């Protein structure tokens, strides 16, 4: 199936540093979502973006819906140890309320105290 | 409100066997979607059910099937298991009252095929 191109695949950062990751696609999406997954758990929604150019924040997290509707990025400011996990982007095309999501392969974040 | 529950959490099967996984959505949610997660392919959409009807299906072979009951609980079945079916199977439920941000994932069922 189609995948989104998510980068980087992994990151090792010092506590307190800022983090940036992004997702690109050859197709247009109507909605971009960012999830975080921790070991033994399902993905948890962090931010949802519905409009091209939209910039949305959730605490230390900020995400943007690209103008072309083919990309999105997620920034985490002042990282802390509990930010450790795998971050996934997901895109959705509209269609009769269907919730089929296309996911990126994830960015594994490690935070060094 | 209880979250999405999936049973069993872990399962070991051998090639050729079949398996049934269960998902109970959040109370009041009528849409259930299933995803397969593997290290190589990531998260891939299997199918979505709403009011006992399959509304959408991903690119998986016919060995993968599902159903939804009148209480919105859903099951997925994989027949003639192959080694490559080893994965984390996630289900997500949604109320369909808004956009995708109403989609909540369960903890998954870890299937190992030997």
């Amino acid at each position: 199936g189609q995948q989104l191109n998510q980068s980087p695949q992994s990151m090792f950062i010092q506590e307190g540093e800022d983090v940036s990751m992004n997702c690109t696609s050859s197709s247009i999406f109507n909605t971009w979502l960012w999830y975080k997954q921790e070991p033994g758990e399902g993905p948890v929604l962090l931010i949802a973006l519905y409009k091209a150019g939209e910039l949305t924040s959730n605490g230390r997290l900020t995400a943007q819906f690209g103008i072309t509707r083919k990309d999105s990025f997620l920034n985490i400011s002042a990282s802390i140890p509990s930010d450790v996990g795998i971050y996934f982007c997901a895109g959705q095309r509209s269609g009769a309320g269907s919730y089929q999501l296309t996911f990126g392969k994830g960015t594994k974040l490690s935070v060094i105290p | 409100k209880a979250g999405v529950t999936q049973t069993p959490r872990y399962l070991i099967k051998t090639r050729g066997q079949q398996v049934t996984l269960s998902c109970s959505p959040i109370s009041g949610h009528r849409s259930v979607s299933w995803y397969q997660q593997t290290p190589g392919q990531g998260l891939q959409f299997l199918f979505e059910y709403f009011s006992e009807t399959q509304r959408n299906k991903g690119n998986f072979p016919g060995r993968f099937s599902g159903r939804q009951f009148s209480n919105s609980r859903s099951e997925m079945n994989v027949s003639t298991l192959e080694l490559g079916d080893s994965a984390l199977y996630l289900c997500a439920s949604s109320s369909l009252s808004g956009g995708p941000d109403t989609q909540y994932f369960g903890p998954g069922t870890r299937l190992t095929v030997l």
Side-chain angles (χ1 to χ4, degrees):
Chain A
Q2 182 187 5
Q3 292 278 353
L4 301 178
N5 299 311
Q6 186 173 349
S7 64
Q9 288 187 344
S10 62
M11 302 181 75
F12 288 83
I13 61 168
Q14 293 281 347
E15 183 176 355
E17 287 184 348
D18 295 345
V19 173
S20 185
M21 58 192 79
N22 68 80
C23 250
T24 61
S25 171
S26 57
S27 304
I28 289 173
F29 287 100
N30 302 104
T31 302
W32 282 92
L33 306 166
W34 286 91
Y35 287 86
K36 178 187 177 185
Q37 187 176 25
E38 297 184 30
E41 301 293 332
V44 173
L45 182 67
L46 299 173
I47 292 181
L49 302 157
Y50 299 107
K51 197 172 161 183
E54 180 182 353
L55 186 71
T56 297
S57 293
N58 178 8
R60 295 178 295 105
L61 277 61
T62 301
Q64 185 159 28
F65 191 143
I67 291 290
T68 64
R69 295 163 67 193
K70 293 182 179 180
D71 63 328
S72 177
F73 73 75
L74 174 71
N75 284 343
I76 305 173
S77 63
S79 59
I80 58 178
S82 63
D83 290 334
V84 165
I86 303 178
Y87 292 79
F88 292 96
C89 61
Q92 190 211 34
R93 294 185 189 82
S94 64
S98 172
Y99 286 128
Q100 176 177 350
L101 297 176
T102 301
F103 281 87
K105 289 201 173 182
T107 295
K108 186 174 182 180
L109 179 62
S110 301
V111 179
I112 304 166
Chain B
K1 207 182 223 186
V4 178
T5 58
Q6 292 187 245
T7 56
R9 291 293 308 275
Y10 303 91
L11 205 49
I12 299 176
K13 292 285 188 179
T14 56
R15 277 182 300 175
Q17 287 187 309
Q18 76 165 19
V19 68
T20 300
L21 313 181
S22 180
C23 172
S24 292
I26 292 171
S27 177
H29 284 193
R30 295 166 62 194
S31 169
V32 173
S33 298
W34 288 89
Y35 293 83
Q36 182 196 63
Q37 185 175 26
T38 60
Q41 297 299 316
L43 276 147
Q44 294 193 292
F45 174 77
L46 281 156
F47 27 66
E48 180 205 357
Y49 284 86
F50 176 74
S51 291
E52 303 177 64
T53 300
Q54 186 181 89
R55 290 174 4 130
N56 210 349
K57 190 176 191 303
N59 296 324
F60 278 82
R63 299 185 297 106
F64 292 82
S65 63
R67 60 177 176 168
Q68 186 180 34
F69 302 94
S70 58
N71 62 358
S72 294
R73 188 177 72 85
S74 177
E75 290 181 346
M76 69 163 279
N77 185 77
V78 188
S79 62
T80 320
L81 283 166
E82 301 176 0
L83 295 179
D85 296 333
S86 294
L88 180 67
Y89 290 89
L90 293 158
C91 90
S93 79
S94 172
S95 64
L96 284 186
S97 63
D101 60 346
T102 60
Q103 188 163 175
Y104 299 91
F105 281 85
T109 294
R110 172 76 60 186
L111 172 65
T112 302
V113 181
L114 302 176

